[in-house]
Amino acid sequence: MWSSDSRSRRRDIPDAPELVAAAAESPGGSVAEIDPRYIGDPNGYVPPEAIRGAWLVDGSGKLTGEYQENPRHGVPQDDFSKLTDPDHWLGWLGDDPATAVRKGIEESLRAQVADAVVEWVKILETPRFFTGGRRQSDDDEAILVTRAALAAPFALSVRTAQHGRSVLLGVFSWAAVNLATPEVRRDRHWFDLDVGLDWAGERLQERIYEIDGDDGTAGR
């Protein structure tokens, strides 16, 4: 839930059978109120900002009439902290790894639907990383990075003219090879929907070597 300094107040309990039923299933907990402006399916992934607040429920599953407001309520925002916070080298993604990954996700979506507009992206867990390299010389212990990859689990909201808003879950993977020789560097993206991080993480190494074996014609 939210910290103890979140605003809490008494409210008249709405005459809504679904609210009463949800409370009965959550004794001692709470029932969230979802803002429909930001989310279509309350049973899918709901970003924290789309929660207006929550009705508190007593130990017997009854609504107490106490309502706790969500201080984060508002337009959902990008969150790439789980990508950038870990102490892992991301120099191969440039000066702004979050922007690079977001752009890669957008490119993957627009390759499928040209007018796709990404509203927000949240990285849900610390990604799986892979980094490979070689010694610069037999006498030098420094490692020259030659290949790198990541698999980042995400939730995102995308709009298209045909389908409106959709909230998608999956893993975005990016692998790059020939990092030590930029003129022949090759990159590839994978946009896997409804898969877990373990599944995508197990494929990182084989995907890197798949690019390594290309003849240079394959792109993102």
Side-chain angles (χ1 to χ4, degrees):
M1 200 58 179
W2 301 290
S3 61
S4 57
D5 59 355
S6 299
R7 208 162 113 196
S8 185
R9 56 194 173 90
R10 303 288 296 184
R11 282 178 56 177
D12 292 334
I13 299 173
D15 184 17
E18 63 273 16
L19 177 61
V20 174
E25 296 176 357
S26 307
S30 60
V31 179
E33 180 185 13
I34 308 301
D35 191 333
R37 293 177 297 174
Y38 305 129
I39 202 76
D41 180 10
N43 297 314
Y45 175 82
V46 177
E49 301 95 329
I51 301 174
R52 284 183 171 139
W55 294 93
L56 302 188
V57 182
D58 66 20
S60 63
K62 304 291 186 183
L63 293 163
T64 66
E66 187 176 0
Y67 185 86
Q68 192 168 27
E69 295 182 353
N70 178 12
R72 297 180 60 185
H73 174 233
V75 179
Q77 304 294 315
D78 287 352
D79 185 356
F80 284 85
S81 58
K82 287 185 170 60
L83 168 70
T84 56
D85 285 352
D87 185 18
H88 189 89
W89 180 74
L90 295 174
W92 62 282
L93 295 174
D95 295 333
D96 190 345
T99 296
V101 169
R102 194 188 206 281
K103 183 179 178 181
I105 290 172
E106 289 176 332
E107 289 176 352
S108 297
L109 285 165
R110 288 174 184 160
Q112 301 175 51
V113 183
D115 69 346
V117 176
V118 177
E119 297 181 308
W120 51 261
V121 179
K122 295 183 184 292
I123 302 301
L124 302 180
E125 301 176 56
T126 299
R128 299 287 170 81
F129 300 107
F130 179 93
T131 306
R134 66 173 186 270
R135 287 188 177 183
Q136 298 191 51
S137 69
D138 292 339
D139 300 325
D140 191 346
E141 293 188 0
I143 300 297
L144 184 66
V145 177
T146 59
R147 56 178 67 90
L150 63 81
F154 66 80
L156 64 81
S157 177
V158 60
R159 277 189 175 277
T160 66
Q162 182 177 359
H163 300 291
R165 171 184 288 141
S166 299
V167 174
L168 306 178
L169 291 167
V171 179
F172 173 74
S173 300
W174 184 342
V177 300
N178 300 334
L179 297 179
T181 49
E183 64 274 11
V184 292
R185 171 172 168 163
R186 294 202 297 273
D187 293 68
R188 187 176 294 177
H189 298 161
W190 292 264
F191 190 81
D192 298 304
L193 292 176
D194 300 321
V195 302
L197 181 56
D198 287 342
W199 182 91
E202 289 171 358
R203 282 154 182 78
L204 271 187
Q205 188 166 337
E206 67 185 60
R207 284 173 164 177
I208 288 176
Y209 291 117
E210 177 185 325
I211 305 175
D212 256 341
D214 286 342
D215 62 5
T217 60
R220 293 181 179 181

